[in-house]
Amino acid sequence: MSPSVSAMQLRRVLAGVALAGCFAMPVEAQISGGNLLIGQAGNVIGAQRKDRSDLYERLDLQWSSDALTLGGRFEYDRSDDDRADFGRAAAYQRLTQRWAEWDRDGLGVRVGNFYTILGRGLLHRSWELPGVVYDEVGTQTRYAAARDLSGARLHAEHGPVSAQLFRGRVNDGTSSPALEAFGFERYRGVLDGAELRTRLPRGASVGTAWSRYTYGDAPERQYASGFAEVDPLEVAGLKGWSAPFAFEYAAERPSLLDWWQWRRGAERAHAMYASGGLLWQRYTFVAEYKDYDGFRLGLNDPPSLVREHAAPLLNRDTHLLDAEGEEGFQLEASGPLHPWVTFTTNFSRSDGAPGVRWLRFEERYGELHVAPPNSDAWECTVFADRGFNTFDFVIDRHSLGLEGSARLPQKFAVSFDLERKRVATQGFFGSPEWFQDEFVSASVSRAGWGRAGVSVTRTTDPRDLPSDDFGLPTADRALFAGFSLGGDVGQSHQVSLFAGRRRGGRACTSGTCYDVPSLAGAELRVTSRF
């Protein structure tokens, strides 16, 4: 087993780079950064204590000059809840990221914390969700929504060829820094990775990637992939049309002899992703296919091939990919029906592994967007959605929605969102159990002043109903209502305030889903850039 990059070695490298940067600092150095401050008063709905208060702060700083950049992140989280079960774990303040990067003439080196991706994420993808803060259920502590590596990365580019090589300890983004005070390792195991990619004429490219993960005495895991991108119509010189095609296939411990011999349920894990499209003027058709078997690695992020909706009620029902055994596809088409009307349709489907074929996600979605051409005076969107998801025991779900906005005189604008959803889940005695969600929101804003809005959700979902000490519901429906204010303060600060009852549940951003806890109280968020 190869030795990992130790924290002491990393600190020495960073200190050396920082010292060299100070001696070589030219006059034109600059410092930039941002700060996120979140304060809450209240608690999760149903908690025994109602008046909990906490404060979270995240400060990012970056110093850059010529080819050298230094950066770091400080996070702070503390609450007034001193109960013995998680009170100590709920408080922390520490430097959670630090890095140094040198980049010049197509050659770059970064040490410390970094993000990267191999291919399309079948082998590895590390990421950060800007502005998103996780709220860990057990400890009720907050931390930046990120999966990163701590180590070193080398990347180079020369002509059409680019390459990267890295090694680092893995933070999978599921644990709060507060737990490190109790000996818990957030960065566990060592990941080695490499990628070689070359651009071909007329926008085509091919590449290959490799990864190896080692953790303690567990057997090491090695994977490799090959990928390609090409537009046959561009290669043929056809003007006005485009047909982009992408493909990647990955396997565990592959050899040249059996590289392309895969089958579902085989002992060797594999993953395949393919996409193709046809574009003409404003018309678009895209098809994607996935076949993942034994590829839930904990540090990769294959494409999920389901539509991520902006509508709140649809977004919370986004399907969670299970790369351990899932096969499926996605079809989407969009284009103009009229100078005022644009359509979008989507059909997504995912099936479980051969042994659990009864697991299936299926969704049909359609929307019409209406707006006067060459004008932003008003716009509206109406959508309909129908599907089911037996991964989550949902046997039927249909939704309708209408949203719109309009500009008014004196720089004012208004917007609204109306949504309704009915869901049937599999009951214990075979008969379906139905519940219904209704969502209404409205807001008014003025340029230079800010925005005020109100949102109301009414649901009969059993998971959200108030209950007694024995878990039995005390009402047949639940109501969540909140008021929000927001605006810019100067050129560098954004302030938003929410007060009321916020519904908890799933939220998805940039293909990554996470749980948002409920709240009965108020939340203040201040974002600064400098």
Side-chain angles (χ1 to χ4, degrees):
M1 182 181 301
S2 303
S4 63
V5 179
S6 68
M8 181 62 72
Q9 290 173 325
L10 184 56
R11 292 192 188 99
R12 289 174 179 172
V13 172
L14 284 171
V17 173
L19 185 61
C22 291
F23 279 109
M25 183 187 298
V27 177
E28 299 179 355
Q30 85 176 47
I31 296 178
S32 60
N35 190 81
L36 174 62
L37 178 69
I38 302 176
Q40 268 191 8
N43 211 336
V44 296
I45 296 175
Q48 191 172 27
R49 179 181 175 182
K50 310 297 184 182
D51 60 346
R52 183 178 186 267
S53 63
D54 58 67
L55 184 68
Y56 169 83
E57 182 172 14
R58 185 177 77 206
L59 173 65
D60 291 275
L61 285 177
Q62 179 174 297
W63 176 92
S64 59
S65 176
D66 194 19
L68 180 64
T69 305
L70 307 177
R73 167 175 294 169
F74 175 81
E75 291 184 78
Y76 170 96
D77 186 66
R78 189 169 298 274
S79 79
D80 66 348
D81 196 335
D82 57 357
R83 288 180 294 171
D85 53 353
F86 60 76
R88 289 179 57 206
Y92 73 91
Q93 53 183 6
R94 66 189 59 200
L95 193 65
T96 54
Q97 284 194 2
R98 49 196 180 273
W99 51 270
E101 184 170 16
W102 180 88
D103 195 336
R104 172 174 287 177
D105 299 329
L107 180 64
V109 180
R110 176 156 171 157
V111 294
N113 300 92
F114 63 92
Y115 307 98
T116 190
I117 184 172
L118 295 174
R120 289 182 172 264
L122 269 61
L123 299 187
H124 172 72
R125 175 177 173 250
S126 43
W127 41 260
E128 179 177 358
L129 302 180
V132 177
V133 176
Y134 284 163
D135 198 329
E136 193 170 71
V137 176
T139 62
Q140 286 192 275
T141 63
R142 297 174 174 178
Y143 58 99
R147 172 196 288 168
D148 65 314
L149 298 167
S150 178
R153 176 177 179 263
L154 170 68
H155 60 93
E157 183 173 352
H158 181 71
V161 179
S162 61
Q164 67 165 317
L165 180 67
F166 65 85
R167 157 170 280 210
R169 298 172 61 216
V170 182
N171 167 31
D172 62 8
T174 61
S175 303
S176 167
L179 298 179
E180 293 180 327
F182 298 88
F184 181 83
E185 290 184 296
R186 280 200 310 140
Y187 291 85
R188 290 167 290 177
V190 176
L191 178 68
D192 297 283
E195 180 185 273
L196 180 65
R197 183 191 301 256
T198 182
R199 297 190 302 274
L200 302 175
R202 298 186 180 272
S205 66
V206 295
T208 183
W210 166 86
S211 70
R212 178 179 64 190
Y213 180 73
T214 56
Y215 179 60
D217 297 328
E220 70 174 25
R221 293 147 53 186
Q222 288 195 51
Y223 303 87
S225 76
F227 48 88
E229 297 180 5
V230 65
D231 186 337
L233 299 185
E234 183 177 354
V235 172
L238 186 63
K239 303 297 183 181
W241 292 77
S242 180
F245 174 79
F247 177 83
E248 181 173 5
Y249 173 69
E252 182 179 13
R253 295 185 179 274
S255 65
L256 292 177
L257 295 178
D258 62 0
W259 177 265
W260 299 109
Q261 298 176 13
W262 74 86
R263 58 184 177 86
R264 294 185 59 78
E267 293 184 0
R268 189 187 66 183
H270 71 267
M272 184 179 71
Y273 167 81
S275 69
L278 185 62
L279 294 75
W280 177 70
Q281 295 183 354
R282 294 171 56 195
Y283 293 93
T284 301
F285 174 75
V286 178
E288 296 178 282
Y289 173 77
K290 62 182 176 185
D291 180 2
Y292 307 142
D293 193 359
F295 246 71
R296 189 171 59 200
L297 311 182
L299 41 84
N300 62 335
D301 193 11
S304 60
L305 272 63
V306 297
R307 181 177 175 86
E308 184 176 296
H309 300 281
L313 292 186
L314 295 182
N315 183 271
R316 64 184 287 117
D317 286 332
T318 303
H319 170 59
L320 297 180
L321 172 70
D322 183 5
E324 191 63 24
E326 194 166 304
E327 181 182 10
F329 61 88
Q330 176 178 219
L331 307 174
E332 182 163 308
S334 63
L337 292 176
H338 180 274
W340 289 49
V341 183
T342 302
F343 78 92
T344 300
T345 61
N346 180 278
F347 176 58
S348 302
R349 174 173 157 178
S350 292
D351 293 303
V356 285
R357 280 298 190 184
W358 56 273
L359 293 176
R360 173 176 290 183
F361 166 84
E362 189 170 300
E363 181 180 49
R364 294 171 174 86
Y365 173 83
E367 74 170 37
L368 295 176
H369 178 74
V370 184
N374 305 317
S375 173
D376 59 355
W378 62 271
E379 62 179 340
C380 69
T381 300
V382 58
F383 68 82
D385 182 272
R386 184 72 182 267
F388 60 89
N389 187 2
T390 54
F391 288 88
D392 289 339
F393 304 102
V394 173
I395 58 177
D396 191 15
R397 184 189 70 232
H398 50 271
S399 308
L400 294 172
L402 173 65
E403 56 185 27
S405 62
R407 293 185 179 274
L408 303 178
Q410 305 297 322
K411 300 182 180 180
F412 280 94
V414 295
S415 64
F416 68 91
D417 189 353
L418 309 174
E419 300 176 34
R420 180 178 180 272
K421 178 179 68 176
R422 279 179 55 81
V423 179
T425 59
Q426 183 63 57
F428 287 105
F429 301 103
S431 59
E433 298 178 355
W434 288 88
F435 70 84
Q436 182 170 301
D437 288 348
E438 295 167 338
F439 173 81
V440 178
S441 72
S443 67
V444 58
S445 63
R446 187 186 188 279
W449 288 6
R451 175 181 177 275
V454 61
S455 62
V456 179
T457 301
R458 186 174 65 175
T459 181
T460 58
D461 190 337
R463 296 169 296 183
D464 292 307
L465 298 181
S467 59
D468 57 22
D469 294 339
F470 299 97
L472 300 175
T474 58
D476 60 357
R477 65 189 59 202
L479 186 70
F480 304 88
F483 179 75
S484 61
L485 287 172
D488 296 334
V489 179
Q491 299 293 321
S492 305
H493 308 282
Q494 292 181 327
V495 180
S496 64
L497 173 67
F498 170 85
R501 286 167 52 89
R502 181 179 68 196
R503 186 184 187 186
R506 183 183 303 166
C508 300
T509 303
S510 301
T512 300
C513 297
Y514 49 95
D515 288 327
V516 176
S518 62
L519 173 66
E523 179 181 276
L524 175 68
R525 179 182 289 247
V526 181
T527 304
S528 304
R529 296 285 184 268
F530 50 86

